[in-house]
Amino acid sequence: MNPNDYAILIGIDSYPELGEGNSPVDLRGPRNDVDAMKKWLLDPNGGGLPGVQNIFEPLAVPHVPGAAVPTAGQLDQLMSNIDGVAQANKKARKGMQVGRRLYIYMSGHGFSPGRQRACLFTADAKERLGLNIHATGWLNWLQDAGYFREFVLWVDACMNRASFLQPHDPPLPLAAASNPPLANFVAFAAQRPLKAVEVPIAEDEDRTHGVFTWTLLEGLRGAAADVNGRVTGRSLADWVRNAQSARFVQRDRDDRDVAQEPEVVQEDSGLIFARGVTPPAYEVTLTFKASATGANAHLWSGSPPVVSRTFTVDDGPKVLALKPGLYLMEVPDAGLRHGFEVVRPTKVAIVDAGVPVMQFDGSEVYRLDVDPGDPTAEIFVVDNRFSLVDYGPAHLSTPLPPGLFKVKIRIGNAITQRVVMLDRDHPLTDLGQAQLLATVVPLPDTAASHEYHQAGRRRAVDAANALVALPGQAVIMVMVRTYSRKIDTVPGTTPPWHGVSIVDANGEAVIDMEQVRERHEGGDAYAFSVAAVDPGSYFLRQDIEEGHAIEQSLIVCAGWRTEVFVLRRVVPGATKVDPRPRAAVMMRRLGEEHDAETDAEDRMAETAKQAMANERRILSARLEEMLMLKSRNPVAGIIGGHLLLIERERDSGRDISMLDTVVANLRGLLGEGHPDVEALALQCADPKLRRVNALRGPPMFQRSWALLAQAARKRVDLVPADMWARIQALAALPPFLVWNTDEEVKSSARKELARAVLRPQVSTPPSPPSQALQPGMLPKVAKRAPRSVPRSPEALARLPRATRARAASLNLPPCALEALKAGME
């Protein structure tokens, strides 16, 4: 038993007003998930909690269909109960530590306000009132307070919702314990900005569960056990990364908006979840080609692999009980050699051809050579126990002992994998049926494009090249389209051109897509328009819901064609357009023709853009050269510059000297003052390049805004007040900087930002811990006059450390602090 362990369990399946038009968007799995998680926590062979007194959950709020409970206030109190235990301990002179380990589990609708951050919408959240509980904010607060030595956070929620409000941080004063946690495990069901999935689970009488939660529980019960029978933070992370997508239906595997892997933020191997457990045996049904009937079949498994089963193939399927791992089925006389993995009950058709396994004694070293033929590819090699043994971008050649390995290739948001037996040097170029990359730009051999979309793009480029632009002018080309994988138009879908326009800095429409004549209305519709304009700051504006518009920046440069693409998807199984916006921006010289090289470069830029959005490391020497030195598209160079900075953030010793060359080249192409180029310039080694001129407008990318806001803390005039006033209601839609134009949403955003940054501190401790959540139990807040916000860097440095830290975490420039302070007075 673990008497000093505690858990907070939150599962919300009823959201009466979170959907479009304040409609219900209920879930079926969260309460089942909480019940299953609670059962494991109380199991002596599982979490080992002594009883329900160590589990905090909103039990006092009965489940009433359609009721908006638990609310944000109730969940704040629930989380504050842990602080109440610490305060009671302090009063009893027992110290502030509450226990050994704290589990925090949350399930429901969610969103991600930033990298490795997760929020759960509370039941009383509405379409435009994003009430939430900040899961990672509470985790950070509790870690800083030092109330436990180990922390576990699991969030089973989507991370794709476009929320314009701020995370609701703990309403408690900052805490600072002297001893950091010993171990942590933090994981979310989906990476930003992707979706999580819930499905019926046959092993639980077809009750609906979140796939992430059920996969976690399988791992905790033994599927993730290491060679010593322990489930550790590392072995559990390896398990969920590899097993999650196996529970998806095919529709979810094909949907590029569904997270095929969870987001594992921390996975300390020193954190032990279970000891003395054994992996389960899953029922695996094997079928063979007719030509294999009567031949001997050999099943290879283990590390190093040995033949664990031999049988004669007959006319029917062969059913085996197999533990989690990698396997190879060999039928030498039929020329079959088929690798597969087992992470659940499954069916496997043995169809892959190959030579007989070569004998080995385990002392050999062979070379695995993987070349997917794509410079943006990420290559992972995983062993029989799902542990990562090697990784590389673009191309990987690695020496390994004989064994069974899974090779996983990720290109953008598409993942392809294959199990191989390494019994000789193995050049691997054929990965079987590869998943197709999904791109906003309509490109050949991608997952979200028709041939007539690609033809429409070529027509749009021809129309742009036919324009007569005056010397010093530029051209904007816009293409909008729908994609649904249907031959005919999906009934009830909104035309893709509805509510899409390009406006100038004064809000005047330069292109209104609802007025254009270049339309294709059959099947998945598309439309395009072109316009010659003066260089400057423009904005792509989209209506994503009735009366609900967003904008993003377009910096249009003399002599260049700015190509804007908008994709409005009908997700599999849906009958209407997904409101989440998808956009892409490319740049080409005026008059440049469309050709196969253009498609290749744009495919590379789109894949790099997705890696930038997820802040993944994909750069290789080849990709650096193609993105930043050889591409004819300046947007690719900007993306490459940010990918270089991502590399340095992960590895402080990473050489980013190429950034100086990139910035000098981009300034030569686009001129001075392009905000994304100037943001990169601030990170250059050459101090001459760091001299930034006045910005032409807001940057296109979120990461550029973060760099500019950071620099503005020392150069307060770098970001003007009118720029921040325009973009203040920011959305978490990486990689682009996107904001809401609605004045009501802007006002709500200002209030939330003021609360988050300039909020007064809590003056009294929370109520004593209690399972009964009653209204009015939240901590009382002392009223204090907001501090003045000075303009000079020296005076800004004198602001309270907590205020400066909160402003920095939210990427707020000094002009934003001034505006927020003025709004509080």
Side-chain angles (χ1 to χ4, degrees):
M1 299 293 286
N2 297 306
N4 294 319
D5 289 1
Y6 288 77
I8 297 172
L9 304 181
I10 301 170
I12 305 175
D13 52 16
S14 179
Y15 288 90
E17 297 183 277
L18 185 57
E20 185 177 352
N22 289 334
S23 60
V25 283
D26 294 344
L27 297 167
R28 300 180 61 187
R31 288 182 179 268
N32 295 333
D33 291 335
V34 165
D35 290 343
M37 188 62 67
K38 186 175 180 179
K39 182 178 179 180
W40 178 82
L41 286 167
L42 294 175
D43 185 346
N45 297 316
L49 270 64
V52 294
Q53 70 273 9
N54 282 41
I55 297 179
F56 295 86
E57 55 181 334
L59 294 177
V61 183
H63 177 52
V64 179
V69 290
T71 66
Q74 290 167 331
L75 290 184
D76 271 341
Q77 180 58 53
L78 177 69
M79 300 295 290
S80 298
N81 285 341
I82 293 293
D83 184 63
V85 174
Q87 298 296 335
N89 286 348
K90 179 181 179 181
K91 189 174 181 179
R93 297 184 178 181
K94 297 179 180 179
M96 296 285 285
Q97 187 167 326
V98 175
R100 180 189 72 121
R101 179 184 299 171
L102 175 65
Y103 294 90
I104 304 175
Y105 174 82
M106 298 185 184
S107 178
H109 285 300
F111 70 98
S112 174
R115 180 176 175 270
Q116 298 184 344
R117 298 169 69 196
C119 294
L120 187 76
F121 284 112
T122 56
D124 54 342
K126 300 181 181 181
E127 180 190 10
R128 297 201 186 186
L129 183 62
L131 297 171
N132 64 83
I133 184 166
H134 188 187
T136 42
W138 270 104
L139 174 68
N140 293 338
W141 190 93
L142 289 164
Q143 287 174 328
D144 289 343
Y147 290 169
F148 295 87
R149 303 303 294 132
E150 299 174 350
F151 291 88
V152 177
L153 173 63
W154 294 319
V155 181
D156 196 341
C158 294
M159 297 294 164
N160 66 320
R161 184 176 291 269
S163 176
F164 300 95
L165 301 180
Q166 295 303 312
H168 185 73
D169 286 319
L172 295 172
L174 293 177
S178 58
N179 50 341
L182 292 175
N184 304 284
F185 187 97
V186 181
F188 315 144
Q191 307 103 334
R192 184 184 64 154
L194 302 177
K195 296 186 295 187
V197 172
E198 56 179 18
V199 297
I201 300 295
E203 300 97 300
D204 194 31
E205 300 178 346
D206 279 335
R207 292 185 180 91
T208 298
H209 287 275
V211 170
F212 170 71
T213 299
W214 190 258
T215 306
L216 268 178
L217 288 167
E218 283 190 299
L220 292 166
R221 294 173 187 136
D226 63 14
V227 292
N228 299 308
R230 304 179 310 162
V231 177
T232 69
R234 181 62 50 80
S235 70
L236 184 61
D238 290 337
W239 166 256
V240 294
R241 284 195 190 99
N242 289 277
Q244 176 165 295
S245 64
R247 288 280 177 182
F248 292 166
V249 298
Q250 191 60 45
R251 183 182 70 194
D252 294 326
R253 291 193 191 97
D254 294 338
D255 189 347
R256 297 300 176 270
D257 291 329
V258 170
Q260 303 298 307
E261 296 179 353
E263 176 78 74
V264 181
V265 178
Q266 281 188 279
E267 49 182 295
D268 290 345
S269 58
L271 197 151
I272 300 175
F273 290 101
R275 294 177 171 86
V277 294
T278 57
Y282 294 121
E283 184 179 282
V284 179
T285 303
L286 305 176
T287 58
F288 297 83
K289 290 183 174 180
S291 60
T293 302
N296 287 331
H298 310 296
L299 180 69
W300 292 81
S301 63
S303 182
V306 296
V307 175
S308 56
R309 308 277 180 93
T310 297
F311 57 86
T312 301
V313 179
D314 55 29
D315 294 334
K318 180 70 172 179
V319 180
L320 302 175
L322 300 179
K323 293 183 177 181
L326 305 180
Y327 294 85
L328 180 85
M329 179 56 69
E330 177 195 24
V331 188
D333 292 343
L336 295 177
R337 176 182 169 128
H338 189 109
F340 62 96
E341 70 176 336
V342 174
V343 292
R344 58 160 295 180
T346 189
K347 297 179 180 179
V348 181
I350 306 301
V351 296
D352 288 353
V355 298
V357 174
M358 189 169 68
Q359 294 299 315
F360 52 82
D361 62 18
S363 64
E364 300 88 346
V365 175
Y366 300 119
R367 183 161 293 277
L368 177 64
D369 197 290
V370 186
D371 186 2
D374 190 314
T376 65
E378 298 170 86
I379 305 165
F380 306 85
V381 180
V382 176
D383 69 12
N384 185 57
R385 289 193 170 272
F386 305 116
S387 297
L388 181 68
V389 296
D390 211 340
Y391 162 82
H395 174 264
L396 179 65
S397 183
T398 179
L400 293 168
L404 286 159
F405 298 95
K406 180 169 72 171
V407 178
K408 183 186 298 185
I409 309 294
R410 181 165 58 196
I411 300 174
N413 53 8
I415 294 177
T416 303
Q417 54 190 32
R418 183 170 181 179
V419 175
V420 299
M421 165 79 90
L422 197 61
D423 60 335
R424 66 197 77 197
D425 290 342
H426 195 132
L428 184 61
T429 56
D430 179 16
L431 290 167
Q433 185 175 2
Q435 284 191 333
L436 294 177
L437 177 72
T439 60
V440 177
V441 181
L443 297 170
D445 302 318
T446 54
S449 175
H450 300 294
E451 288 186 3
Y452 56 84
H453 286 160
Q454 298 154 32
R457 187 215 178 162
R458 291 192 291 271
R459 289 176 57 214
V461 171
D462 290 342
N465 286 340
L467 282 179
V468 178
L470 298 175
Q473 280 196 312
V475 169
I476 298 177
M477 182 195 95
V478 184
M479 181 177 183
V480 297
R481 62 192 181 97
T482 300
Y483 184 77
S484 65
R485 297 198 303 176
K486 302 289 185 181
I487 296 176
D488 299 320
T489 302
V490 176
T493 55
T494 304
W497 46 80
H498 176 72
V500 179
S501 62
I502 303 294
V503 301
D504 62 18
N506 297 317
E508 297 294 327
V510 174
I511 295 176
D512 184 347
M513 293 304 297
E514 295 196 54
Q515 305 300 319
V516 303
R517 296 181 179 179
E518 295 290 346
R519 293 181 179 176
H520 175 100
E521 300 194 20
D524 284 336
Y526 73 83
F528 66 83
S529 183
V530 297
V533 298
D534 292 328
S537 178
Y538 295 84
F539 303 92
L540 168 63
R541 182 175 290 176
Q542 300 184 62
D543 290 342
I544 56 173
E545 294 165 347
E546 192 64 34
H548 199 51
I550 59 171
E551 281 185 346
Q552 64 186 82
S553 180
L554 301 172
I555 304 299
V556 178
C557 302
W560 290 89
R561 179 177 75 238
T562 298
E563 300 181 357
V564 181
F565 300 91
V566 174
L567 172 62
R568 294 186 160 180
R569 284 198 60 198
V570 180
V571 297
T575 58
K576 63 179 182 178
V577 171
D578 183 358
R580 188 168 74 85
R582 297 168 175 85
V585 179
M586 303 292 170
M587 294 182 71
R588 298 288 174 186
R589 288 283 191 185
L590 290 185
E592 183 176 330
E593 300 290 339
H594 180 277
D595 54 24
E597 186 177 352
T598 302
D599 284 338
E601 287 186 344
D602 288 351
R603 178 188 176 94
M604 177 181 63
E606 279 279 75
T607 310
K609 182 190 76 175
Q610 292 177 12
M612 175 183 167
N614 295 323
E615 307 213 353
R616 297 201 308 264
R617 300 176 63 181
I618 67 166
L619 284 182
S620 61
R622 181 185 174 199
L623 184 57
E624 286 180 24
E625 183 179 30
M626 293 178 69
L627 274 177
M628 292 178 274
L629 301 180
K630 290 188 174 181
S631 177
R632 299 173 296 174
N633 175 9
V635 174
I638 294 171
I639 293 172
H642 280 296
L643 289 175
L644 263 179
L645 295 179
I646 290 171
E647 295 274 342
R648 188 183 63 180
E649 289 165 11
R650 305 294 189 278
D651 177 7
S652 60
R654 176 65 154 89
D655 179 16
I656 63 165
S657 57
M658 184 182 284
L659 188 63
D660 287 18
T661 302
V662 173
V663 167
N665 289 345
L666 288 171
R667 279 178 171 165
L669 293 172
L670 306 179
E672 301 283 343
H674 190 298
D676 292 278
V677 178
E678 302 306 297
L680 293 174
L682 292 165
Q683 305 299 309
C684 286
D686 185 349
K688 293 180 181 178
L689 292 172
R690 296 200 297 267
R691 296 171 186 167
V692 174
N693 294 314
L695 306 178
R696 300 184 208 171
M700 294 190 297
F701 294 111
Q702 281 187 10
R703 288 185 56 86
S704 298
W705 170 253
L707 294 175
L708 293 171
Q710 177 185 1
R713 288 193 282 277
K714 292 184 179 179
R715 301 167 62 175
V716 293
D717 294 327
L718 180 63
V719 177
D722 58 347
M723 181 186 294
W724 185 81
R726 182 162 199 146
I727 72 171
Q728 58 194 275
L730 291 174
L733 289 169
F736 291 112
L737 187 72
V738 179
W739 59 89
N740 196 294
T741 64
D742 183 77
E743 288 302 325
E744 180 183 351
V745 174
K746 285 185 175 182
S747 176
S748 296
R750 285 194 299 272
K751 292 176 182 177
E752 287 292 309
L753 286 169
R755 178 198 59 78
V757 178
L758 303 173
R759 66 179 185 265
Q761 297 297 305
V762 175
S763 62
T764 58
S767 306
S770 171
Q771 293 287 64
L773 301 179
Q774 302 296 332
M777 290 177 64
L778 286 179
K780 296 180 179 179
V781 176
K783 294 183 179 180
R784 299 180 186 172
R787 296 176 181 263
S788 61
V789 181
R791 291 190 55 83
S792 69
E794 296 78 11
L796 284 169
R798 291 195 294 271
L799 286 173
R801 181 176 61 87
T803 299
R804 286 184 280 117
R806 289 192 291 265
S809 70
L810 296 171
N811 296 322
L812 295 181
C815 63
L817 291 177
E818 287 192 70
L820 295 179
K821 178 256 180 181
M824 291 183 66
E825 291 178 333

